[in-house]
Amino acid sequence: MRVGSDCDILVPAALQDVIDDATADRIKARLVVEGANLPTSPQAQSILAERGITVLPDFVANAGGVVAAAFAMDARYSGFRPETPTIFETISKRLRANAVTVLEEARRRATTPHIAGRGLAEERVRAAMRSKGRLPA
């Protein structure tokens, strides 16, 4: 990967651990959007954060398939199939909203988007489990 290339946004979208502590110092982008699963090592995330480079976590940036799967599951029990443009619009809105939420939470907590995102995910899972009676209120 040519991490020394000038760009505003870098999207590592193919390999795990492609950005590590050896390559993190050469990244010139202002934003890294993780398209692949785990493309940035924890050490690289720290280095990038220290350099003021924002890393949008993979579990936020590439979650479109999960949202589309939810549509498919809902459609199994409905006589009305959603139109493809509606699915894409919903995925786009949800991914954007989640990205904004994670980045705002990271700023509020003065931490990295990975840490903030994991914290938000844990809170959401606990709330869902409580609503199903699987955790004490």
Side-chain angles (χ1 to χ4, degrees):
M1 182 170 82
R2 296 187 55 206
V3 294
S5 300
D6 287 333
C7 61
D8 293 325
I9 302 170
L10 178 65
V11 183
L15 300 172
Q16 181 175 334
D17 293 325
V18 71
I19 301 174
D20 58 18
D21 53 342
T23 58
D25 285 328
R26 298 194 327 250
I27 291 179
K28 296 180 181 178
R30 297 178 316 182
L31 174 64
V32 175
V33 179
E34 295 184 328
N37 292 333
L38 305 170
T40 310
S41 73
Q43 298 85 359
Q45 292 170 22
S46 296
I47 292 167
L48 294 170
E50 288 171 11
R51 294 184 53 218
I53 298 171
T54 300
V55 179
L56 186 64
D58 57 344
F59 56 87
V60 174
N62 71 15
V66 173
V67 177
F71 262 100
M73 291 187 67
D74 285 347
R76 291 183 310 171
Y77 302 108
S78 172
F80 302 99
R81 302 281 186 222
E83 298 291 326
T84 300
T86 302
I87 295 169
F88 282 124
E89 181 180 333
T90 301
I91 291 169
S92 179
K93 285 180 180 178
R94 289 191 182 173
L95 292 184
R96 286 175 191 268
N98 284 337
V100 168
T101 299
V102 167
L103 294 174
E104 287 176 350
E105 185 70 4
R107 276 192 281 278
R108 190 180 72 72
R109 293 185 185 185
T111 190
T112 68
H114 276 85
I115 293 170
R118 276 194 303 272
L120 287 167
E122 289 171 6
E123 290 170 12
R124 289 177 179 181
V125 168
R126 282 190 193 97
M129 290 177 74
R130 277 188 205 95
S131 74
K132 303 274 186 194
R134 296 198 174 138
L135 279 180

